Amino acid sequence: MAIGATAGVAAVGGIALSAQAADGADSSSSSDALAFDPDGYTELTTTVTDTDGDDKEVVYHFWKAITYVANPVDEDYQSLNVSVPVKIDGEAVDASDAPILFANSVGGYMPSSVADATGIGGGGMSGGGGMPSGAPSGSAAPSPSASNANGNTNGTGGALSTNQLLALAAGYVVVEPGARGRTLKNADGEYYGTAPAAIVDLKAAVRYVRFNKGRIPGNTDRIVSAGTSAGGALSSLLGASGDSKIYAKYLKELGAADASDAIFATGAWCPITDLEHADGAYEWNWGTNDLSTGEQVDQTVSKELRSQFAEYQATLKLRGLNGFGTLTARNYDEYLVKQYLEPSATTYLKSLSDSDRETYLAANTFITWSGGKATFTWADFLTHVGARKKTTPAFDAFDLSTGENNEFGKGTTETRHFTAYGLKNDTTGLTAKRLDSDIPEMLNLMNPMYHLGQKNPGRSKHWWIRLGTEDSDTSLTVSANIAAAAAGLGDDVNHLYYWDQGHGANTDPGDFIQWIAKVTGYKKK
């Protein structure tokens, strides 16, 4: 069937696109609601500019907005897109055994829909605009943390759309799932996208892909997830919680496919996660930094939360990478500086020309540059970053004002406390002395650290984790703890920080695509 429509030219994530509809195949209805229709695609052509600046013309088959559960609550969000390359620069590509990049577009734990997408990379996807790939800290784009509902670096124009397009040009299959989010309400005013809806939906989408092995092109045993911010949290959670039984009742209610929801590898950028401990981690990291207004946060609250972090970190008994030893609140600053921050600064400075390096060092005298290496103190690093993004508490606000408070809403209750400390200091007039009884379960369902602590056998064994050094949407310890926990279980961990980059940065997308090929053992046919 000739489609005949022609899409315009757009720029997505810094990569030029020129989509042109061509001949596709007629969709045919299936007796099985969860059977993927191999012929239900549209053939499109796009031009992808790779990280070397070279253009690649990619012809691909595109399946749009396929509902991935038998009993959807909202099909607008519980659907996915599939993109499969068939020709790259005129040469036929066989993607039947290619890795599958499973790239969610969740930002701020908000709803994410692929229903209006016009092709790969998020064209028409909901979720809002975000910080572009590699954007420096201080960019005008909104921060995509849960506390800022407008941000989303995976959707239109964002960092993860770069990953998706580069993956397609590398010959990989790309799956883009939608998911319910925290702001969705039905006619009765009930919230139906709060925890654990997003992770349950993404698990159901993984199950759909695995269930359709042989119908959906690609190697369903080589699914690699990707996400940023809250999407990075969900990607981490997918990786940590593969086949965990605690989601069974939720997946059954949706009529999810009878298949595994384990993934092979995890890509997570600036994950906003471990939420029940995030306030303490944030204050440990940024507690002495002023807000952008120049005001200092309540230091009594900050110190109490820092103490909570120290207690929590001690219970984890995590060992740092490269033989550092047990990570504690007392030595975590040293660990971050030596393991991540100085190497990050060194890599950045080495990438500069001699004159640019001299200029940067002259403007940042806290760095000692000697023997081709950067050294500095934790205190000077904090001064260099400057203003913190969030007040205190950063996540479980006393006035129930954050996106995370909304994420743990239930029924017609828009926001709830999810920490005892937040509830104890509530300023909204609540009289409850204890957290709602379901909160502990919700926290386990939403926290990758819980599953890593359980040594979940179905977890991902390969981890790609990235964070900007100036990202004060979260604590630098959050991703470092995930990395340490995974490495402590013997998993392959590739974790680094981007120097002078803010929330949502993705400055090495080409390396991520090569990493996928390496860990999956894939060689393009």
Side-chain angles (χ1 to χ4, degrees):
M1 179 180 66
I3 303 299
T6 302
V9 177
V12 179
I15 293 181
L17 298 178
S18 57
Q20 184 176 13
D23 288 342
D26 286 321
S27 295
S28 59
S29 60
S30 171
S31 58
D32 186 337
L34 294 180
F36 180 81
D37 178 9
D39 298 322
Y41 62 83
T42 299
E43 186 167 288
L44 302 173
T45 300
T46 186
T47 300
V48 178
T49 303
D50 65 21
T51 53
D52 294 324
D54 298 325
D55 289 343
K56 288 186 177 181
E57 184 181 78
V58 182
V59 179
Y60 66 102
H61 292 170
F62 179 66
W63 287 260
K64 177 178 176 178
I66 304 165
T67 302
Y68 52 70
V69 288
N71 305 318
V73 177
D74 192 330
E75 290 186 2
D76 284 347
Y77 300 98
Q78 293 170 305
S79 59
L80 55 79
N81 293 342
V82 178
S83 298
V84 179
V86 294
K87 192 179 294 184
I88 299 176
D89 283 341
E91 293 188 13
V93 174
D94 179 6
S96 59
D97 196 41
I100 299 173
L101 179 63
F102 186 85
N104 80 72
S105 58
V106 175
Y109 291 102
M110 298 284 281
S112 172
S113 173
V114 300
D116 296 326
T118 56
I120 191 172
M125 292 174 67
S126 72
M131 190 180 296
S133 171
S137 177
S139 295
S143 161
S145 72
S147 295
N148 185 331
N150 296 320
N152 178 0
T153 56
N154 308 35
T156 54
L160 266 290
S161 59
T162 303
N163 288 345
Q164 290 148 228
L165 291 161
L166 291 178
L168 188 74
Y172 306 166
V173 173
V174 178
V175 174
E176 298 170 299
R180 289 169 294 164
R182 60 183 172 84
T183 57
L184 296 174
K185 286 193 295 185
N186 62 22
D188 295 324
E190 298 169 326
Y191 289 85
Y192 63 90
T194 54
I199 185 60
V200 172
D201 284 354
L202 294 182
K203 281 179 168 290
V206 170
R207 287 185 171 209
Y208 177 88
V209 173
R210 281 185 167 275
F211 176 77
N212 282 287
K213 179 179 181 178
R215 290 187 286 257
I216 293 180
N219 186 343
T220 57
D221 291 325
R222 293 294 183 268
I223 298 174
V224 182
S225 70
T228 293
S229 192
L234 292 167
S235 182
S236 301
L237 187 52
L238 271 179
S241 68
D243 290 336
S244 171
K245 294 180 180 179
I246 69 173
Y247 301 90
K249 64 180 180 181
Y250 300 98
L251 290 163
K252 184 177 181 180
E253 288 173 359
L254 293 178
D258 184 12
S260 170
D261 55 62
I263 60 171
F264 182 78
T266 300
W269 286 255
C270 50
I272 301 288
T273 193
D274 199 1
L275 295 177
E276 63 265 43
H277 306 110
D279 289 325
Y282 193 92
E283 293 311 310
W284 178 90
N285 196 148
W286 308 112
T288 59
N289 289 43
D290 293 341
L291 296 164
S292 59
T293 59
E295 297 175 283
Q296 191 176 60
V297 299
D298 187 322
Q299 285 301 296
T300 298
V301 172
S302 183
K303 289 176 182 177
E304 289 176 350
L305 288 169
R306 275 177 256 170
S307 178
Q308 290 181 21
F309 171 76
E311 294 176 7
Y312 169 61
Q313 192 65 41
T315 67
L316 293 176
K317 299 179 181 179
L318 297 175
R319 299 183 67 83
L321 305 184
N322 297 319
F324 181 84
T326 303
L327 296 173
T328 70
R330 289 180 178 271
N331 65 20
Y332 221 132
D333 53 351
E334 176 189 354
Y335 176 66
L336 288 172
V337 169
K338 297 302 179 185
Q339 175 65 31
Y340 295 113
L341 299 179
E342 287 179 344
S344 175
T346 297
T347 299
Y348 172 75
L349 288 166
K350 281 184 174 180
S351 73
L352 301 178
S353 66
D354 291 344
S355 60
D356 286 346
R357 187 182 309 115
E358 289 178 9
T359 299
Y360 186 89
L361 289 169
N364 295 278
T365 56
F366 75 97
I367 297 176
T368 298
W369 181 253
S370 177
K373 293 184 178 180
T375 58
F376 46 84
T377 68
W378 173 252
D380 284 341
F381 166 73
L382 292 178
T383 300
H384 171 66
V385 174
R388 54 186 279 167
K389 292 275 187 70
K390 299 178 180 180
T391 188
T392 188
F395 297 93
D396 188 1
F398 296 155
D399 64 357
L400 292 170
S401 61
T402 72
E404 289 81 8
N405 289 129
N406 180 207
E407 172 64 6
F408 290 99
K410 183 180 181 181
T412 57
T413 302
E414 180 180 8
T415 57
R416 292 192 296 169
H417 288 294
F418 52 91
T419 67
Y421 186 78
L423 178 61
K424 176 183 175 182
N425 293 280
D426 175 79
T427 60
T428 68
L430 294 178
T431 58
K433 301 298 182 182
R434 294 183 180 180
L435 294 171
D436 288 349
S437 60
D438 68 311
I439 288 294
E441 178 191 9
M442 292 301 111
L443 293 172
N444 290 343
L445 288 163
M446 298 303 296
N447 194 346
M449 291 299 292
Y450 166 77
H451 299 277
L452 291 172
Q454 296 289 312
K455 300 180 181 180
N456 176 37
R459 70 183 185 280
S460 162
K461 305 302 192 297
H462 302 275
W463 299 79
W464 174 280
I465 308 171
R466 294 295 187 264
L467 185 69
T469 62
E470 293 199 350
D471 185 353
S472 65
D473 282 69
T474 184
S475 170
L476 302 185
T477 65
V478 172
S479 62
N481 271 350
I482 294 174
L489 295 175
D491 297 348
D492 163 45
V493 176
N494 187 315
H495 183 210
L496 60 79
Y497 292 17
Y498 303 129
W499 186 251
D500 278 357
Q501 297 295 304
H503 198 63
N506 177 21
T507 67
D508 56 351
D511 291 343
F512 175 59
I513 301 305
Q514 292 177 10
W515 178 80
I516 292 175
K518 178 183 177 181
V519 299
T520 61
Y522 176 68
K523 294 182 179 180
K524 186 163 59 177
K525 296 178 182 179

